[in-house]
Amino acid sequence: MTRAEVQQITLRRDTADPLPVMESFYTIQGEGTWTGTAAYFVRLAGCDVGCFWCDVKESWAPSEDQYQTSEEIVREAKASGAKRVVITGGEPTIYDLTVLTDALHRAGLIVHIETAGPYPLRGDIDWVCLSPKKFLVPRADLYERVNELKVIIYNDDDFRWAEEHAALCPPHTQLFLQPEWSRRERNYPKVLDYVMAHPHWRLSMQTHKYLDIR
Ligand code: SF4
């Protein structure tokens, strides 16, 4: 599916409520700062970033039967017993998340987002994890909102890309390098060496994949 086709499908329903939910589930966060922390994931469908190594390509195009109201999403999240909700995708900034994030907060939940940052961040988010992608770069105004930067290392040039983005983020930002899963055997030694030589970075492992959980 081309970028234009994905945009046509997602922008046709660019409303704040309902939103297309590909899947939602309560699990343990496997990556970054909050690794090991219980979290309820809401994976919104719709992404036009186009990473060729994407492991959730089925999230790129939403379908009509996926739309859920914010009320339904919050009710299910609350029923799970979660304290934190991670809005992910797909690319969640395609959508206006104001209605959903306000409803999550009213229910007493803490709201995280995982984004490549190509569109304006609309909504009240407590923790912003930016994972910039070369295929559709983040918006300049997003960097000041970033709490955590997570750069996927696919090839050697991605270390340069990581430093470029770290320089744009606020000083308190948590910095992570994460080997791309399909090349992990090649990339782990490089990332470990890089983190030891540049200790402002930390290693992020996709621990949920090692545990074989979602
Ligand atoms: S931004 Fe995420 S969901 Fe979109 S193509 Fe890249 S890895 Fe896949």
Side-chain angles (χ1 to χ4, degrees):
M1 179 166 281
T2 64
R3 176 166 294 160
E5 285 169 331
V6 172
Q7 282 174 346
Q8 241 184 350
I9 294 170
T10 52
L11 298 181
R12 180 160 56 91
R13 292 289 296 268
D14 187 19
T15 60
D17 197 22
L19 293 166
V21 179
M22 181 190 135
E23 59 179 352
S24 52
F25 50 93
Y26 191 30
T27 188
I28 301 295
Q29 168 64 279
E31 305 177 359
T33 306
W34 298 92
T35 295
T37 304
Y40 187 85
F41 280 72
V42 177
R43 186 184 303 285
L44 298 181
C47 183
D48 59 352
V49 177
C51 309
F52 61 86
W53 42 256
C54 176
D55 58 2
V56 280
K57 289 195 171 87
E58 62 276 24
S59 73
W60 289 8
S63 60
E64 288 298 330
D65 61 355
Q66 291 177 320
Y67 283 82
Q68 279 189 270
T69 63
S70 292
E71 197 185 322
E72 288 167 338
I73 298 169
V74 173
R75 190 169 54 238
E76 290 172 8
K78 193 72 183 164
S80 74
K83 298 270 181 272
R84 293 178 187 277
V85 173
V86 180
I87 303 172
T88 185
E91 175 41 60
T93 60
I94 285 179
Y95 302 104
D96 180 353
L97 302 173
T98 310
V99 175
L100 176 60
T101 56
D102 286 352
L104 289 166
H105 281 137
R106 277 197 303 276
L109 295 162
I110 301 164
V111 182
H112 295 213
I113 192 170
E114 304 215 351
T115 176
Y119 298 108
L121 195 53
R122 293 165 290 174
D124 185 9
I125 314 280
D126 302 302
W127 186 267
V128 176
C129 174
L130 173 66
S131 186
K133 305 295 183 330
K134 289 174 177 167
F135 316 99
L136 193 58
V137 296
R139 286 172 57 93
D141 57 5
L142 189 106
Y143 293 98
E144 63 187 14
R145 304 272 309 268
V146 173
N147 302 101
E148 173 182 357
L149 177 69
K150 183 174 64 188
V151 180
I152 310 303
I153 301 297
Y154 183 80
N155 59 34
D156 295 350
D157 183 61
D158 291 333
F159 293 108
R160 176 198 59 78
W161 170 255
E163 295 293 358
E164 242 179 60
H165 283 80
L168 297 170
C169 292
H172 61 264
T173 305
Q174 309 268 319
L175 302 176
F176 288 93
L177 300 175
Q178 181 172 293
E180 193 275 321
W181 182 254
S182 71
R183 286 189 156 196
R184 60 192 181 283
E185 284 175 19
R186 171 193 181 276
N187 286 339
Y188 262 115
K190 294 184 181 215
V191 172
L192 294 178
D193 285 348
Y194 195 90
V195 168
M196 286 191 281
H198 307 84
H200 51 293
W201 290 96
R202 291 160 66 186
L203 169 68
S204 173
M205 297 171 68
Q206 292 182 291
T207 52
H208 55 296
K209 292 190 177 177
Y210 288 100
L211 293 170
D212 197 20
I213 58 174
R214 286 205 290 185

